[in-house]
Amino acid sequence: MNILITGCQGQLGNEMQLLETSYPQHRWFNTDVQELDITDQTAIEQFVAEHEIDGVVNCAGYTAVDKAEDHEQLCRLLNATAPGYLAAAAEKRGGWIIHISTDYVFDGTNHTPYVETDIPHPNSVYGCTKLAGELSVSNSCTRSMIIRTAWLYSSFGNNFVKTMIRLGKEKSELGVIFDQIGTPTYARDLASVIMTAIEKGIQPGIYHFSNEGVISWYDFAKTIHRLAGIATCHVRPLHTAEYPTPANRPHYSVLDKTKIKTVYGIEIPYWEESLKDCLEKIVEL
C-alpha cells in the first residue's frame, strides 16, 4: 500500500518512521507542514491522487492544551477541519484513515476506566476540537479508525518525561500534581499497534489505547527520577488547585483498552516497563 503519514516530526510520527523499515512492502510518505499543509484541502486532494494513497495515518494536530484556550480558531482548523479533509480524500480513493484522538474528549468525572461507548463531554478548547475532529473523520470516511490515547511521551520532542529529567537535574525541589489520575502512553507502543492495525486490516470505529496500569502525575514523576537515577530533587505532591492552568484537565482519564486488545489480539505493556525502554533511548541520545 501507499501510506501517508502526517505530523512526521512529532513524537508519534517519529516513532512511526522508525518502525516503517520493518514494513518495506509498503511505500511510506512521511510529511509534516513543509511537505503537506493539511489545512489546504486542494493540496491534500492533489497529494493523495498523485501518490495514489491507499491509507492515511494522521499524527498531526494542535497539542498545546493551554495555548488552545486563546487560539481556538487555529486549534479547530488543525484538530477538526484538517482531519476531515484527510478523511474525505481517503474516502474518495476508497482508502482508510487512522486518526489519533485524546482522553480530553472526556471531562474526567468517571471513577472507572472510560470505554469507547461512554458519551464524550470535553471541558477545554483542545478537547472540544479533538472531539469535533473525531466526528469530522468518521463522517467523511467509512473506513476510519479513531484511536484515543493519553499522556503521550517519547524520546522525541518535548514531553513530561524529558521535562521531569531536565528539572530533576536543575532543581532541588519540584511540585507535581497528584490528584489527576491516568496512564502514560509510550509513543513507540502506540506506533506499534497502528502498524498491527494496518497489517491485520482496518476495523472501523473508535478505540482506546494507552499502556497498562493507573498512576498520578506525581507517581509518574517519582518513577522517572528513580529510573533515571535522579536522587537530588525532592518531588512533592500538589493539588490541581495549587497549580492553576488556563485549560481544564481531566482528573480521571484512565482508558479501558479491552476493545483494541480483543479486535487486534495484542498485549499492551505495563507503563513502567515502557518507561524503562524510553529512558534507555533518551540516554542513547
Side-chain angles (χ1 to χ4, degrees):
M1 290 183 286
N2 294 335
I3 301 172
L4 167 62
I5 309 289
T6 64
C8 74
Q9 294 305 313
Q11 295 185 88
L12 180 58
N14 270 296
E15 298 288 4
M16 289 291 295
Q17 290 184 75
L18 289 181
L19 296 183
E20 286 168 9
T21 55
S22 299
Y23 300 89
Q25 69 272 32
H26 304 307
R27 289 183 67 204
W28 302 94
F29 295 85
N30 298 300
T31 67
D32 215 289
V33 65
Q34 295 84 359
E35 295 81 23
L36 178 63
D37 179 0
I38 62 169
T39 67
D40 185 335
Q41 186 174 15
T42 302
I44 290 171
E45 291 175 351
Q46 289 175 347
F47 190 99
V48 168
E50 179 183 344
H51 299 287
E52 300 181 334
I53 297 298
D54 299 298
V56 178
V57 181
N58 183 31
C59 304
Y62 188 103
T63 58
V65 176
D66 288 323
K67 288 182 179 178
E69 295 295 311
D70 294 322
H71 298 90
E72 181 172 356
Q73 187 173 358
L74 176 60
C75 190
R76 187 166 296 277
L77 180 63
L78 287 166
N79 289 347
T81 307
Y85 293 160
L86 290 164
E91 177 75 7
K92 197 171 182 180
R93 279 193 47 81
W96 50 263
I97 183 170
I98 297 176
H99 175 67
I100 308 304
S101 192
T102 175
D103 58 317
Y104 278 71
V105 300
F106 299 114
D107 60 13
T109 56
N110 261 25
H111 299 288
T112 55
Y114 284 97
V115 295
E116 290 81 357
T117 52
D118 284 333
I119 297 172
H121 189 259
N123 60 0
S124 66
V125 167
Y126 173 70
C128 288
T129 62
K130 291 298 286 186
L131 178 59
E134 290 185 8
L135 297 171
S136 184
V137 167
S138 59
N139 289 336
S140 301
C141 183
T142 51
R143 297 173 67 197
S144 61
M145 180 178 180
I146 293 162
I147 305 178
R148 293 175 181 149
T149 192
W151 296 24
L152 197 68
Y153 69 92
S154 164
S155 58
F156 298 99
N158 298 314
N159 53 64
F160 184 80
V161 172
K162 293 168 85 170
T163 298
M164 288 302 104
I165 292 173
R166 177 176 57 80
L167 293 179
K169 292 176 178 178
E170 293 175 358
K171 296 180 176 293
S172 59
E173 185 175 284
L174 194 59
V176 181
I177 291 170
F178 81 94
D179 58 355
Q180 292 177 17
I181 308 298
T183 311
T185 307
Y186 182 22
R188 180 76 53 92
D189 294 333
L190 177 54
S192 179
V193 79
I194 289 171
M195 290 300 191
T196 298
I198 291 171
E199 289 307 295
K200 291 191 174 183
I202 304 302
Q203 299 294 322
I206 296 173
Y207 296 82
H208 289 172
F209 183 87
S210 69
N211 283 114
E212 297 284 20
V214 180
I215 55 167
S216 70
W217 287 109
Y218 168 76
D219 295 309
F220 194 21
K222 292 282 287 184
T223 307
I224 292 165
H225 282 189
R226 173 169 55 81
L227 295 178
I230 297 171
T232 54
C233 179
H234 172 63
V235 181
R236 56 186 177 84
L238 294 179
H239 287 90
T240 296
E242 296 177 79
Y243 190 78
T245 56
N248 292 317
R249 284 160 167 75
H251 278 269
Y252 183 93
S253 62
V254 181
L255 301 175
D256 186 301
K257 281 85 67 175
T258 303
K259 181 179 177 181
I260 202 164
K261 289 190 285 189
T262 302
V263 171
Y264 287 103
I266 58 168
E267 284 190 19
I268 301 175
Y270 179 58
W271 70 267
E272 189 170 332
E273 296 305 314
S274 290
L275 176 59
K276 288 177 184 176
D277 289 344
C278 183
L279 289 175
E280 288 176 5
K281 302 290 188 303
I282 291 174
V283 170
E284 289 170 6
L285 295 176

